[in-house]
Amino acid sequence: MTVILQSNIFDPGATINEFQKQSINCGAIVSFTGVVRNNVESNLKKLHIEHYPSMTKIAIEEMINVANKRWKLSNCLVIHRYGNLKVNEIIMMVVTASSHRVDAFQAAEYLMDYLKSRAPFWKKEFTDNGCNWVLSKETDEAALTRW
């Protein structure tokens, strides 16, 4: 079970390949890769992500521990970037491995929902009209109720 916080761009394909080599005796590997999208009307120039490294890593490790208790995971990886990110750059990745696909899928979805709403990251959008902090969305909060 690994958490990586980094500013550098990474290759999701190579990451999955390496993860698979380390995931012994699993029947399913599920991955999700999040990408910065331009969802503002005034042209997103960059997304800036801030965090407190030790706080963020501990919070994500706790999320993984909860997932590991609920579902039978043989391996799990969460990568999340910080700093300045451009539109279409990879922002994060969750990869889960389990003996069965249902556990791998559900654990990955759980982690994605909790990363979106509870991981201590602060995001600021820079657009043609200035900048603003990204607020949590009702839909993201509602997604947590299923867990």
Side-chain angles (χ1 to χ4, degrees), residues 10 13 17-18 52 54-55 64 67 70 112 114 116 127-128:
F10 62 93
N17 288 339
E18 186 59 33
Y52 294 113
S54 58
M55 175 197 283
I64 291 172
R70 276 187 87 167
M112 290 179 293
Y114 271 83
K116 182 81 173 168
T127 69
D128 291 337

Side-chain angles (χ1 to χ4, degrees), residues 59 63 66-67 70-71 106-120 136-147:
M63 290 173 203
V66 170
R70 276 187 87 167
W71 298 281
Q106 289 182 349
E109 281 192 287
Y110 166 85
L111 288 168
M112 290 179 293
D113 285 345
Y114 271 83
L115 282 167
K116 182 81 173 168
S117 299
R118 295 294 183 263
S136 65
K137 297 177 185 170
E138 287 183 33
T139 53
D140 295 334
E141 292 298 316
L144 297 178
T145 61
R146 65 185 175 146
W147 307 112

Side-chain angles (χ1 to χ4, degrees), residues 36-38 40 42-47 87 125-127:
V36 177
R37 66 181 180 269
N38 187 8
V40 295
S42 53
N43 189 33
L44 183 66
K45 292 183 175 186
K46 70 178 177 180
L47 178 65
V87 172
E125 294 175 328
F126 289 80
T127 69

Side-chain angles (χ1 to χ4, degrees), residues 11-57:
D11 179 344
T15 300
I16 292 169
N17 288 339
E18 186 59 33
F19 180 87
Q20 189 270 328
K21 289 177 189 174
Q22 297 170 7
S23 301
I24 311 291
N25 200 26
C26 70
I29 293 176
V30 170
S31 69
F32 172 83
T33 305
V35 179
V36 177
R37 66 181 180 269
N38 187 8
N39 61 347
V40 295
E41 295 176 9
S42 53
N43 189 33
L44 183 66
K45 292 183 175 186
K46 70 178 177 180
L47 178 65
H48 179 76
I49 300 175
E50 295 181 11
H51 74 111
Y52 294 113
S54 58
M55 175 197 283
T56 305
K57 187 169 186 180

